[in-house]
Amino acid sequence: MAQSKLASYHRVIAELPDTSWKREDLLIDGLLLEQENDLSLYYAPYDYVNPAAKVTIVGITPGFTQMSISLRQAKDDLAAGINLSEIDRRAKYAASFAGTMRRHLVDMLNKLGLPELLHVSDSSELFGDRRELIHTTSVIRYPLFHKGENYTGHQPRMLSSQLIRKYAVHDFAHELAAVKDSVIIPLGKSVSDLLRYIDGEKPLPGERLHERCLFDFPHPSGANGHRKKQFELLKEHHISILQSKLGNHQQL
């Protein structure tokens, strides 16, 4: 797994303005990681990995809202003198799938019976007091923008870009290996397609993603008008995978 980059960027983060942030405040050279044509990849504190997770939830890439939340948390924690390794974890926790998307996700996870399998009362606890049970990540770990807008996985297609392939295939595959006992929940078709590609290429010895992945789980965005129909089509299949992998889970 890659080491946290926070040590290289904490001074830039500390010097960010104290006012509300617009894109021009964060999409700056000081946080720029890489560029390729119309794609720009920026740093935000998303390196923390929870190897003990029972469930891993995967998006495409953090958007500007998530980037802002994670950097704000990091800036505040730097000012408070919190240890850098702890800042990484706290920033990621604060920003992961924040907003209405999290509410839709929690609702679907409840309907799959995940709380019972993990011995919690509601899936919302996984984003609060029981965060030790989940790992949240993205196939492209850091915020990626296309012409300044959130990258959605379509323009360009993920595997057509060398920049994206480096993060989405190589780095992401190693991250999945670090959470080897975790069920993987990909959010949306693009993430499922990428996971199928990784499963077919087998970049890591012994990995069998299809045995622990809820392929074609719908994206929880409110903009996904087919979310409920997609969820119902595979609900029973996804329940069976969760029960197979988590049925013997003991309360921590």
Side-chain angles (χ1 to χ4, degrees), residues 181-202:
D181 296 324
S182 177
V183 172
I184 303 165
I185 302 180
L187 303 186
K189 184 179 185 300
S190 294
V191 181
S192 283
D193 289 347
L194 191 281
L195 282 163
R196 285 190 174 98
Y197 176 82
I198 292 175
D199 202 31
E201 290 294 302
K202 294 181 173 56

Side-chain angles (χ1 to χ4, degrees), residues 4-16 18 21 31 43-45 70-88 90-91:
S4 170
K5 290 181 169 61
L6 184 58
S8 300
Y9 289 93
H10 71 277
R11 289 186 178 86
V12 177
I13 295 171
E15 293 172 359
L16 290 171
D18 293 323
W21 293 331
L31 293 174
Y43 173 74
S70 67
L71 287 170
R72 179 68 68 185
Q73 182 72 49
K75 180 176 170 64
D76 290 346
D77 285 351
L78 285 167
I82 293 175
N83 182 275
L84 290 186
S85 61
E86 182 67 6
I87 289 174
D88 227 343
R90 286 164 56 90

Side-chain angles (χ1 to χ4, degrees), residues 48 50-57 93 109 114-136 179 181-185 246 249-252:
Y48 175 76
N50 175 16
K54 297 300 179 182
V55 175
T56 294
I57 302 172
Y93 278 14
L109 296 179
L114 189 61
E116 292 83 356
L117 292 170
L118 295 182
H119 303 286
V120 298
S121 60
D122 188 86
S123 295
S124 60
E125 293 180 36
L126 303 177
F127 297 92
D129 293 340
R130 302 305 305 273
R131 275 300 300 246
E132 79 277 6
L133 294 172
I134 68 167
H135 175 54
T136 56
V179 288
D181 296 324
S182 177
V183 172
I184 303 165
I185 302 180
L246 301 176
H249 171 69
Q250 298 296 316
Q251 187 170 7
L252 299 179

